[in-house]
Every structure is written in structure tokens, then in C-alpha cells.
């Protein structure tokens, strides 16, 4: 079973600053990695898939990078609406399984 | 508008059964893989099941043998039959579309399942 580990658990950032979130896989997942944003009381929203491709309608301040076991989500200049919990998620192709990290909460500093 | 709407959640006793439904609209339902993902209160996300366009199904070990995912393309509907429910199955259950093989691009609003005596 592939385990996804996100760090840090909580990130305190001031509006306008850059936020860097990390996600590590216990074994290589190639580029089969996605990032989601979830706000309280809402369903998750897809931000990034294929490790670096922004989903439809996602602002350019969100970017993803990495491959293999190390991945990063960067928010270049935090807006008030970006304070939320972020999850990474991997896909393993056989047997097909999808696994989430435990999440990183981005809070206002 | 592309939309997923779950229903069927509620309170059930340990060992009981429940069937969740997800109504899809605004896209060609039969062309997409579909998934169930759950989230216990205050906890992270856990993938629960998947069904491909050909009806192939997949489960993690935590629910395999107890949960069954199915779809009815003529009704644009996804289902999750949950048997032998445990307290640990208590969560919000989301229906999600497999936008590509890797990620879930459309999510419903979720339906709450509580397993308690």
C-alpha cells in the first residue's frame, strides 16, 4: 500500500505571501498525483492533476511540481479565499487504488 | 451544469446496511469512471470504491467484501451498498467523477452516514 505523507500539518502564512506544501509518497507514483482544496463544510475541489496541470478554472497562482516520490504545491501569493485544507492524492494503476495524504491546513498568520 | 447529488445517508445500527445513491446531471454519465470517497468528522479523505465505464469495480481493503459499488447508466445514477456497517464507517460520503484516471474532478455535496446504537 502506498502511503502519502504531507508536511507541514499546519502552515501559518500572511496574505500575499508564498505558501509551499509538500507531499511524499512511500514509493514512486510517477506523475499520478493530484491536489485538492477543501474549505469547512464544503466538498473538496480539484486544483492540480498529473502533478502539475491546473484543473479548469484554477487560478495561475496555484502550481504543482514533482514526480516519483516528492511533490510540491505552491501558492504564489495567498489570497483570503485560499485559507483552507489541502490534500494530495495518488493513483496506483494495479490494482487500481487512490490514496490521500492527511492534509495540510493553511491558516492566516 | 455538471452536478452530482448524493442521498440515502442516515443513522444505522452496527451490523446494519444502507444504500447510498448519487444522481448525475450535466454530463455523459456513462463515459466516466465514478467513485465514492468518505470523510469522518474532522479527519482526512479516504477513497472507498470505484467503478469503471465497463462496470469493473475496485475497493480498498477497509471495505472490500462489505461495500458494493454499482451504476445504472440509463438513470445516470451511482450507488453504494454498504453492509456489516461499523462505527468506523461513520463519515460524510461523497460521490465523485473520475475526470481522468488519476483525479476526481467533480464532487457532490456529500451525505452523512452515522453508525451507532
Amino acid at each position: 500500500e502506498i502511503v502519502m505523507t504531507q508536511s507541514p500539518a499546519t502552515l501559518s502564512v500572511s496574505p500575499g505571501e508564498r505558501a509551499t506544501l509538500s507531499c511524499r509518497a512511500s514509493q514512486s507514483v510517477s506523475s499520478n498525483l493530484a491536489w485538492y482544496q477543501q474549505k469547512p463544510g464544503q466538498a473538496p475541489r480539484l486544483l492540480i492533476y498529473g502533478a502539475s496541470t491546473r484543473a479548469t478554472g484554477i487560478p495561475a497562482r496555484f502550481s504543482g511540481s514533482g514526480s516519483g516520490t516528492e511533490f510540491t504545491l505552491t501558492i504564489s501569493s495567498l489570497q483570503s479565499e485560499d485559507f483552507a485544507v489541502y490534500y494530495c492524492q495518488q493513483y496506483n494503476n494495479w490494482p487500481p487504488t487512490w490514496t490521500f495524504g492527511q492534509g495540510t491546513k493553511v491558516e492566516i498568520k | 451544469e455538471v452536478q452530482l447529488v448524493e442521498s440515502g445517508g442516515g443513522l444505522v445500527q452496527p451490523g446494519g446496511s444502507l444504500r447510498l445513491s448519487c444522481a448525475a446531471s450535466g454530463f455523459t454519465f456513462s463515459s466516466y469512471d465514478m467513485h465514492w470517497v468518505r470523510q469522518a468528522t474532522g479527519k482526512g479523505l479516504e477513497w472507498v470504491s470505484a467503478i469503471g465505464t465497463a462496470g469493473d469495480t475496485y475497493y480498498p481493503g477497509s471495505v472490500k467484501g462489505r461495500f458494493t459499488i454499482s451504476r445504472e447508466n440509463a438513470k445516470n445514477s451511482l450507488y453504494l451498498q454498504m453492509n456489516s456497517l461499523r462505527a468506523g464507517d461513520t463519515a460524510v460520503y461523497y460521490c465523485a467523477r473520475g475526470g481522468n484516471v488519476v483525479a476526481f474532478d467533480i464532487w457532490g455535496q456529500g451525505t452523512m452516514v452515522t453508525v451507532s446504537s
Side-chain angles (χ1 to χ4, degrees):
Chain A
E1 177 190 346
I2 298 176
V3 177
M4 307 301 292
T5 303
Q6 292 185 241
S7 61
T10 303
L11 186 61
S12 298
V13 185
S14 299
E17 289 189 340
R18 183 186 194 92
T20 302
L21 289 66
S22 296
C23 176
R24 174 177 292 179
S26 59
Q27 63 189 75
S28 177
V29 299
S30 185
S31 295
N32 296 327
L33 193 285
W35 290 94
Y36 300 84
Q37 176 193 69
Q38 188 179 34
K39 298 179 181 179
Q42 296 185 15
R45 178 175 71 145
L46 176 64
L47 298 175
I48 301 285
Y49 64 93
S52 61
T53 302
R54 275 189 303 277
T56 302
I58 301 303
R61 64 180 181 272
F62 291 93
S63 63
S65 63
S67 66
T69 62
E70 300 284 344
F71 301 89
T72 300
L73 175 70
T74 301
I75 312 170
S76 60
S77 177
L78 271 158
Q79 307 298 302
S80 58
E81 62 267 29
D82 300 336
F83 293 96
V85 179
Y86 292 83
Y87 294 94
C88 65
Q89 169 252 312
Q90 70 84 27
Y91 163 70
N92 188 49
N93 63 0
W94 194 259
T97 54
W98 293 259
T99 311
F100 292 89
Q102 81 279 17
T104 290
K105 182 179 181 180
V106 177
E107 64 176 24
I108 301 175
K109 186 175 183 180
Chain B
E1 180 191 4
V2 175
Q3 196 172 11
L4 297 170
V5 179
E6 301 94 335
S7 61
L11 174 65
V12 61
Q13 292 189 337
S17 298
L18 207 59
R19 189 196 197 204
L20 306 182
S21 299
C22 171
S25 59
F27 65 98
T28 305
F29 178 73
S30 60
S31 297
Y32 289 86
D33 299 342
M34 296 296 297
H35 302 258
W36 289 97
V37 177
R38 69 184 179 185
Q39 185 173 38
T41 302
K43 302 298 184 181
L45 300 165
E46 181 186 14
W47 168 72
V48 170
S49 60
I51 186 165
T53 57
D56 44 317
T57 59
Y58 307 96
Y59 307 90
S62 57
V63 306
K64 196 168 188 177
R66 300 188 301 123
F67 290 11
T68 302
I69 188 173
S70 62
R71 64 192 302 162
E72 192 168 356
N73 291 336
K75 293 187 175 181
N76 292 331
S77 293
L78 178 73
Y79 306 102
L80 184 67
Q81 177 67 43
M82 304 185 293
N83 298 329
S84 303
L85 283 161
R86 309 163 179 167
D89 296 318
T90 295
V92 173
Y93 284 72
Y94 294 102
C95 163
R97 187 178 82 170
N100 54 62
V101 71
V102 176
F104 313 135
D105 66 342
I106 303 295
W107 296 65
Q109 85 289 349
T111 187
M112 183 71 202
V113 173
T114 303
V115 184
S116 175
S117 55

